[in-house]
Amino acid sequence: MTREHGGAVDEDAASAFLLELAKALHLAYQPSLLVEARVRQVAKAWGMDVQVFTLQSLAMTEVVSSRRPHVVFERLPFTPHWNLGRAAALLRLSDAISEGRVRLPEARAELDRILTPHALYPEWLVFVAYGVYGAAVAARVGGAWWEMLAAFFVGLSAGVIHFGTLNSHRVDLQKSFLAAFLGTLVALGLTLLLPPFNAVRALFGGVTLLVPAMVVTLGSLELALEAVEAGLSRLMYGLLRFLMLGVGIAAAGTLWRFGGPLPPPFEQHALPLLLTFIVVAVGGVALSVCMSGRPRDAAWIVGGVLLAYGTQELTKMLFGDRGSPLVSAFVLGVAGLLYGRGKERMPMTVIMPGMLQLAPGFIGTEAIVALLGEGTAGAQDPRLFNVLLVALQLVLGLMFATVVVPPSDLVDRGSSVPPSAGSA
């Protein structure tokens, strides 16, 4: 038995809880070093010395303070769905335990409550939100009204596939293929019904929440913080999902060619900047629904989206092309960390939605299409290597932000990790 602030805690029960907490935090898109640090803080509050190790598909804890040290581990599924409400609740729970405000029985009950599936919004609203956000992303990457309309229907289809299959973690890679395949067919089919539009921008807008650009960014962050094992496996998994999207696009293109040629590339004039800003704001509201954010956090989510987009556009004016991801991530990181200093506020509420506006997903989509021989008009040097370069700039921006606004979570080696960098 181990002491728990004057009482005794069952070590076996506590060890099982710590493994479940590590698993839940990992599935909430937290970087491995932060997961390990959080779990060790919880264990310390209960008088336990625990070593924690997490990978893309594995969580392991070793209790070293017992007379009979033992290791427990569990293989992890991978969920591509961000749930801001659940992630915030998990971080609040770990904080409460570390501060001695919650004992093991209450912590076990609260963790079970947090992990119990419950829909914050009705399914039909989530599906529509996927479509609305897809339309907003199409505008953000240079599309106009027809791209937005096509992206809405592609996003609606992707939302049904993505959100409708959350109960089955085993079809994650398959859903990337299915969403890209179906989304490409929808985008191509709409070229027969609508005036000419850029099908690639519409396609990316519609499937953007399935593009694993944030997985690549998180893996890059873990590599930068010397969590090589976790970062490398996560990075490879993200690249594999990119390839699955590419296979889906290629399969749809091959099927389409049986009936006729692919539509020629078309470059649409983008919407005016102010109008695009408004559309992006509406997309931020939809994103809060897609990410299961609490209604009271919607304004902060939209704020993170607009801050990231506005900073990116400003850096475009200064540096050209796609702007400076490093500067944009730095500004977003500082804002999110300052927001997180408020009571019961999590930096991820601002950082995660904002990072989705900066993630290198569209570059990756252009690269996949270019590799398939279906280049887009106006695309400049769409190489997969650029995806990694952008991801590394985002990582550096977040790391520099933690120097200016030190986060409350300190990890081993004296490094500090942005509380929500992995959630972005």
Side-chain angles (χ1 to χ4, degrees):
M1 303 291 285
T2 303
R3 297 188 63 186
E4 179 191 358
H5 298 286
V9 59
D10 185 294
E11 194 169 271
D12 290 335
S15 179
F17 174 86
L18 293 173
L19 182 62
E20 285 297 312
L21 180 62
K23 174 182 175 181
L25 287 169
H26 174 83
L27 295 177
Y29 270 76
Q30 302 303 306
S32 59
L33 291 179
L34 184 143
V35 172
E36 295 164 13
R38 288 272 184 169
V39 175
R40 280 195 294 268
Q41 289 170 6
V42 170
K44 184 178 180 180
W46 290 339
M48 300 172 65
D49 184 8
V50 173
Q51 295 297 322
V52 188
F53 180 71
T54 58
L55 292 174
Q56 175 65 34
S57 59
L58 179 72
M60 178 183 299
T61 60
E62 178 186 9
V63 179
V64 297
S65 61
S66 172
R67 292 182 178 179
R68 51 178 187 85
H70 61 280
V71 176
V72 291
F73 66 91
E74 184 174 347
R75 289 199 171 275
L76 305 179
F78 180 81
T79 171
H81 179 66
W82 297 284
N83 189 316
L84 278 176
R86 179 177 299 170
L90 287 169
L91 294 177
R92 285 196 299 270
L93 173 61
S94 62
D95 284 341
I97 298 172
S98 300
E99 295 167 5
R101 294 186 281 114
V102 178
R103 297 169 64 88
L104 178 57
E106 293 83 4
R108 175 80 264 181
E110 178 63 11
L111 181 61
D112 291 341
R113 186 195 67 79
I114 293 172
L115 298 181
T116 299
H118 62 279
L120 188 60
Y121 302 102
E123 281 193 354
W124 68 266
L125 181 59
V126 177
F127 296 155
V128 172
Y130 267 82
V132 172
Y133 182 67
V137 172
R140 175 168 59 80
V141 297
W145 298 112
W146 295 119
E147 284 83 1
M148 291 173 60
L149 180 61
F152 173 83
F153 288 106
V154 175
L156 191 65
S157 303
V160 172
I161 294 174
H162 185 203
F163 192 81
T165 58
L166 285 180
N167 292 331
S168 177
H169 297 303
R170 296 182 180 274
V171 297
D172 176 46
L173 289 175
Q174 294 91 322
K175 75 174 64 175
S176 297
F177 167 81
L178 291 174
F181 179 78
L182 180 60
T184 302
L185 289 180
V186 170
L188 292 174
L190 289 173
T191 62
L192 303 178
L193 304 176
L194 301 177
F197 66 90
N198 189 302
V200 174
R201 285 187 169 84
L203 175 61
F204 173 69
V207 301
T208 185
L209 290 179
L210 291 180
V211 172
M214 290 315 305
V215 179
V216 173
T217 302
L218 178 54
S220 301
L221 173 63
E222 290 173 331
L223 287 176
L225 295 175
E226 300 183 11
V228 178
E229 302 88 351
L232 185 60
S233 59
R234 198 188 299 264
L235 189 62
M236 293 305 298
Y237 190 86
L239 295 176
L240 179 59
R241 288 188 62 204
F242 261 127
L243 293 178
M244 292 296 287
L245 288 171
V247 172
I249 294 172
T254 300
L255 180 61
W256 185 267
R257 288 190 184 96
F258 282 110
L262 292 171
F266 179 79
E267 188 64 20
Q268 178 64 276
H269 293 293
L271 297 177
L273 184 59
L274 179 59
L275 182 56
T276 303
F277 195 81
I278 295 173
V279 171
V280 170
V282 174
V285 176
L287 183 60
S288 69
V289 176
C290 297
M291 303 177 77
S292 300
R294 299 173 299 180
R296 64 183 179 183
D297 293 331
W300 296 106
I301 292 173
V302 174
V305 168
L306 293 180
L307 177 63
Y309 173 72
T311 305
Q312 186 181 47
E313 290 301 309
L314 179 60
T315 58
K316 282 183 181 180
M317 297 178 186
L318 298 176
F319 304 110
D321 195 15
R322 294 185 174 92
S324 173
L326 188 152
V327 173
S328 300
F330 172 77
V331 172
L332 180 67
V334 169
L337 290 169
L338 288 174
Y339 167 80
R341 290 191 170 185
K343 185 177 181 181
E344 293 191 358
R345 289 181 175 181
M346 299 298 161
M348 65 170 57
T349 303
V350 173
I351 295 179
M352 183 192 295
M355 285 292 287
L356 287 175
Q357 316 311 307
L358 306 175
F362 184 59
I363 307 173
T365 304
E366 285 184 319
I368 290 172
V369 175
L371 289 174
L372 296 173
E374 306 298 337
T376 60
Q380 297 181 0
D381 199 22
R383 299 176 184 173
L384 283 174
F385 183 66
N386 286 354
V387 176
L388 297 179
L389 290 180
V390 173
L392 288 174
Q393 289 187 66
L394 297 179
V395 169
L396 288 174
L398 288 175
M399 293 180 69
F400 291 152
T402 65
V403 176
V404 177
V405 185
S408 58
D409 298 276
L410 299 179
V411 299
D412 289 344
R413 307 182 187 93
S415 301
S416 45
V417 179
S420 56
S423 307

